[in-house]
């Protein structure tokens, strides 16, 4: 069964495939997840609401394009002490800089905050469109603190400056195995794949009955 994920980010595609395996076990072998690189006009703003809206808009645009089950997500880093900055603007701020420089700039802002205000979380909203009139959205969060300097090279985006609660290293130091077990994306997509599970089971039973 082929489904689509609206993204141009190959790290995200790899993470979502891994989360499908963690959630569905052997059933994930029946699922082919393909990236769909679509320009979708996203809602601006850094409120948390935009994560939900943008995941919906991406999945809807993907479904309209493919006519097949399509997933869309929107995620970002939220720093409550900085009025939820960068939040829904996570992909757009300081875009002229490399990720290394962007993370250094955010670390420098955070270093000015007292220790107890260096808290942050990642939020992910993930939407699945199954038919023109059927969709569902799931959310996940990962809480932690921000590192005063970027560390590690195993992740992407803001991973080098985010230390998850209960750990002493950044996500970029901990690596994909730990990240996929605890991340905001993992929590949102695990719920999404649980929701899709009966449909995947039903479809794979039909295929084996037909002998395809
Ligand atoms: P989007 O969901 O692709 O729009 O991502 C929004 C922004 O948040 C991008 O700049 C990502 O790099 C960043 N972001 C989203 N998820 C993660 C993550 O798991 N780790 C680090 N950065 C992330």
């Amino acid at each position: 069964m082929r489904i689509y994920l609206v993204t141009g980010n190959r790290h995200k595609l790899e993470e979502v495939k891994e989360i499908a395996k963690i959630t569905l076990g052997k059933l994930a072998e029946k699922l082919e997840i393909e990236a769909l690189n679509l320009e979708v006009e996203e809602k601006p703003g850094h409120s948390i609401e935009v994560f939900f809206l943008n995941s919906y808009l991406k999945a809807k645009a993907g479904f309209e394009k493919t006519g097949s089950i399509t997933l869309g997500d929107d995620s970002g880093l939220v720093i409550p002490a900085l009025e939820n900055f960068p939040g829904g603007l996570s992909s757009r701020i300081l875009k002229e800089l490399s990720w290394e420089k962007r993370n250094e700039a955010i670390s420098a802002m955070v270093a000015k905050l007292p220790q107890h205000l260096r808290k942050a979380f990642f939020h992910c909203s993930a939407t699945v469109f199954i038919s023109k009139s059927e969709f569902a959205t799931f959310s996940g969060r990962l809480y932690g603190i921000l590192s005063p300097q970027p560390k590690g090279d195993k992740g992407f985006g803001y991973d080098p400056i985010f230390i998850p609660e209960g750990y002493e290293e950044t996500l970029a130091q901990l690596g994909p195995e730990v990240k996929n077990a605890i991340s905001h994306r993992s929590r949102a997509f695990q719920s999404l794949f649980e929701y899709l599970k009966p449909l995947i089971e039903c479809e794979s039973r039909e295929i084996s009955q037909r002998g395809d």
Side-chain angles (χ1 to χ4, degrees):
M1 177 174 166
R2 176 174 302 166
I3 67 172
Y4 295 90
L5 171 70
V6 176
T7 187
N9 179 340
R10 68 181 171 84
H11 296 284
K12 214 185 243 189
L13 178 69
E14 288 316 312
E15 284 190 10
V16 170
K17 284 183 176 176
E18 218 31 62
I19 298 161
K21 281 190 208 153
I22 294 169
T23 318
L24 300 169
K26 263 193 105 45
L27 196 60
E29 290 168 17
K30 311 280 178 200
L31 204 59
E32 214 179 301
I33 308 175
E34 207 168 286
L36 184 65
N37 198 351
L38 274 188
E39 278 301 317
V40 178
E41 198 177 325
E42 296 185 28
K43 292 274 173 216
H46 63 100
S47 76
I48 292 169
E49 188 189 17
V50 303
F51 294 127
F52 166 80
L53 291 170
N54 288 333
S55 75
Y56 169 86
L57 290 172
K58 288 181 196 174
K60 185 166 187 280
F63 181 83
E64 282 165 0
K65 172 101 184 159
T66 62
S68 299
I69 295 176
T70 302
L71 323 181
D73 86 322
D74 197 40
S75 51
L77 179 70
V78 180
I79 309 173
L82 301 179
E83 295 178 9
N84 292 344
F85 174 86
L89 298 175
S90 293
S91 57
R92 286 175 239 179
I93 53 143
L94 306 173
K95 240 187 149 169
E96 65 287 2
L97 301 181
S98 65
W99 269 106
E100 204 181 333
K101 296 275 173 224
R102 247 195 266 193
N103 281 331
E104 278 170 11
I106 296 195
S107 284
M109 286 163 81
V110 165
K112 293 192 190 124
L113 295 171
Q115 187 77 29
H116 71 284
L117 293 180
R118 291 183 190 166
K119 291 180 185 153
F121 60 88
F122 275 116
H123 180 102
C124 174
S125 290
T127 297
V128 53
F129 257 82
I130 292 176
S131 71
K132 216 162 97 182
S133 56
E134 191 188 355
F135 71 91
T137 302
F138 306 87
S139 291
R141 280 192 180 183
L142 175 64
Y143 289 90
I145 57 161
L146 293 165
S147 164
Q149 301 133 17
K151 285 185 193 155
D153 57 9
K154 292 190 203 144
F156 70 94
Y158 300 103
D159 285 346
I161 56 168
F162 190 88
I163 303 172
E165 216 167 70
Y167 294 82
E168 287 179 1
E169 292 181 303
T170 67
L171 282 175
Q173 290 173 297
L174 292 166
E177 209 170 303
V178 175
K179 184 175 177 189
N180 288 335
I182 62 171
S183 81
H184 49 307
R185 190 164 299 103
S186 168
R187 288 177 179 149
F189 276 94
Q190 279 187 29
S191 306
L192 188 152
F193 286 122
E194 283 294 347
Y195 176 81
L196 276 185
K197 197 171 174 181
L199 188 69
I200 304 166
E201 282 168 341
C202 184
E203 184 127 328
S204 73
R205 252 195 316 273
E206 278 175 18
I207 290 172
S208 65
Q209 276 162 7
R210 287 202 308 263
D212 294 358

